Amino acid sequence: MNIRHLTFRLLQVYVAVVRSGSISEAARQLHLTQPTVSLQLKRLADTLGEPLLESRHGRQVPTEAGGELYRASREVLGRFADFDDYLAALRGGERGRFSIALVNTAQYVLPRLLGPYSQAFPEVDVTVHIGNRRQMLTRFERQEDDLYVFSHPPSLAHALAGRFLRNPLVAVAPRGHRLAGRERIDMAELLGERFLLREPGSATRMLFESWLQEQGLSLGPTLQMASNEAIRVGVAAGMGLAVLSEHVLPPEHSDIAILTVAGLPIESHWQFIVRRDRRLSHAALGFLRFAEGHLGDCVEPRFLSNELDDLLRRLDAAPVPPLRGSDP
Amino acid sequence: MNIRHLTFRLLQVYVAVVRSGSISEAARQLHLTQPTVSLQLKRLADTLGEPLLESRHGRQVPTEAGGELYRASREVLGRFADFDDYLAALRGGERGRFSIALVNTAQYVLPRLLGPYSQAFPEVDVTVHIGNRRQMLTRFERQEDDLYVFSHPPSLAHALAGRFLRNPLVAVAPRGHRLAGRERIDMAELLGERFLLREPGSATRMLFESWLQEQGLSLGPTLQMASNEAIRVGVAAGMGLAVLSEHVLPPEHSDIAILTVAGLPIESHWQFIVRRDRRLSHAALGFLRFAEGHLGDCVEPRFLSNELDDLLRRLDAAPVPPLRGSDP
DNA sequence: ATGCAGTATAGATAATCATCTATATCATGG
DNA sequence: CCATGATATAGATGATTATCTATACTGCAT
């Protein structure tokens, strides 16, 4: 038996004949002419090198070999029908996997979205990578992930972006700070104090520093800590002041005060970034659609800024990369 | 996904690529050129409508859909490899089925052959049909069986025959019969006695009657019984005489005497008959081969008359009917 | 940067396939 | 025995496939 000439179509035809017990009837069912089916059967029997059917009392009945072929065919066709279902689920975004890379600060909010999403799509494997802005940029350049969350995206030459959440940076001080509660503090009044800063490469630090530069200000003494949490706790403990994303503060933050500094909060937005040169996994697309529809249910209204519909529209329009996929 | 254009060959190629992680390497293994394999992959991805491979660090790695396709392909190819094994077993006669139709009298010997055979080929299903000559002729004409055992075959226009066993018909009488033990009895001396005969349509009866006709004799009173066993018991009980196949008599038959009538035993041979217009099942062929080789171990030497080698040779030479098989 | 190994694309060709119509053969049930 | 429905065969055709050689692109290692 030469498997090379074996076609799934051939098996389908054969199964139809065995089922109906008649070549002509199978031809009708398959919308083919009777000679076509006859010939297909002959080819099939030729490639297998065994007779498959006998006509008994006018009905086509499988021989010994034919019976086994029928069983094999049904299994095999069934397996590929399953595979087809799998593909459909994959395409519908109900199944599959995607990876998303978050800038550190975003990890305080994104779970609010990812939680309900993976509740709704339990068959999708999500991998979340977290790091500071610089690390995310590296991942982005190496095309390691399906989705990225940045506040300020890198060059959008090969990517599309869609804002979805406001990310205000506020100045914080320990609860009992002398300026806590005062209106319209001037930033210059704070420069003498020690500031707790994230590491270079952090988006929060980058935004803060460029804002300072715009104002023509520069900081006094600083202390560097590579984690928002550590900084928050540090501020509460009186180590100094800081500028942090409002998302970092717990809803009730009795040990920390937000200072109403003129010019603050620094407004920025988180956005989903999608590379245009990498085929977006169906699951990732499904997640974006989910985010577009359910963002309002997952985050506080004051942070809402959902421009994902626009992103999705542009993704639909984007030229699809070739089917074999490209290098990540 | 359009299953119509899916080929087993295509899956083989795909599996080779996934296994080796390289298109060029797969091409080498398959004795194809690299562009051929590239193109096959493209076609495969096109018919499935999903990218299947991504090149990661220079290796071809399946995507989500590709991984599932790989699993499906392996299962499916494995299933057909099994089917191929099955076919091989079928062709080797190690497996399958055949039916054999025996003239009544032959049922006393054939089990000696069928027993060891089905011991040796436990995977073969054998169906044995038993009846008198007339019934066997009907089955033969309707092509209902793979093999037939006759003493005198019907027309051999569409069949081949091979003798394998002597079938002497002897005259039997109850133990104490007046002629028991006498040498050279003349048949005429017995005609006054009642003869127990099989039914018309029986081969034994036919042979006996045509022998009588040759001798210019005719029987006196008769009694008809449709079974060799019944006749044998009847003779032992003194109901009359009979002419029976020697095979019908048990090895020790103290209650019955064989009369040494001049011109008896009537010599005949059982033969296997194979229709030439019906494709012989591999299993049946295997049985004939087994019989040819093991007949000597299974029956008493004095009955041996093995001409099956000749039959087998002629079977090999016979033109093979078309693959789809013909009507039984 | 340079070259190599791997991959993709283009263009060509012979083979095979799927499919048709038309016709012959066969089997079966009145 | 014949009419009818089922199957096989023949011949034709356009589409698809398998496969090649030649060449272009691409990314990694030197």
Side-chain angles (χ1 to χ4, degrees), chain B residues 103 105-106 132-134 136-137 140 148-156 159-169 201-208 210-211 214 266-273:
Chain B
V103 114
T105 316
N132 68 28
R133 177 183 162 82
R134 183 168 300 158
M136 290 306 101
L137 278 175
F140 177 80
Y148 302 85
V149 174
F150 285 106
S151 44
H152 277 212
S155 149
L156 288 182
L160 297 176
R163 293 182 170 183
F164 66 101
L165 207 65
R166 296 180 51 231
N167 177 33
L169 305 187
S202 145
T204 303
R205 173 162 175 173
M206 190 194 79
L207 282 171
F208 181 32
S210 62
W211 178 81
E214 275 173 29
I266 301 173
E267 268 303 338
S268 76
H269 293 83
W270 279 320
Q271 18 203 331
F272 286 116
I273 314 287

Side-chain angles (χ1 to χ4, degrees), chain B residues 5 7 31-33 35-36 39-40 43 324:
Chain B
H5 301 125
T7 308
H31 307 292
L32 293 173
T33 61
T36 299
L39 221 59
Q40 304 277 49
R43 278 210 317 120
R324 288 217 32 254

Side-chain angles (χ1 to χ4, degrees), chain B residues 108-125:
Chain B
Y108 294 89
V109 222
L110 235 86
R112 291 181 192 282
L113 204 50
L114 284 166
Y117 168 78
S118 55
Q119 205 85 6
F121 294 88
E123 301 270 37
V124 177
D125 265 357

Side-chain angles (χ1 to χ4, degrees), chain B residues 244-324:
Chain B
L244 287 178
S245 164
E246 209 177 325
H247 294 288
V248 172
L249 309 176
E252 298 301 311
H253 42 81
S254 50
D255 49 359
I256 273 189
I258 296 180
L259 304 181
T260 53
V261 174
L264 292 190
I266 301 173
E267 268 303 338
S268 76
H269 293 83
W270 279 320
Q271 18 203 331
F272 286 116
I273 314 287
V274 178
R275 294 204 59 115
R276 274 192 306 189
D277 47 3
R278 186 187 206 273
R279 188 185 170 86
L280 190 61
S281 94
H282 297 292
L285 188 61
F287 173 65
L288 286 180
R289 277 196 280 258
F290 181 89
E292 197 266 323
H294 296 81
L295 195 61
D297 315 334
C298 302
V299 302
E300 292 175 60
R302 63 192 175 108
F303 292 126
L304 256 183
S305 168
N306 187 345
E307 298 174 8
L308 294 178
D309 54 344
D310 180 55
L311 172 61
L312 287 169
R313 228 174 303 115
R314 281 179 296 151
L315 271 175
D316 276 345
V320 182
L323 272 183
R324 288 217 32 254

Side-chain angles (χ1 to χ4, degrees), chain A residues 5 32-33 35-36 39-40 43 57 324:
Chain A
H5 302 124
L32 293 173
T33 61
T36 299
L39 220 59
Q40 303 278 49
R43 279 209 316 120
H57 319 300
R324 287 214 36 255

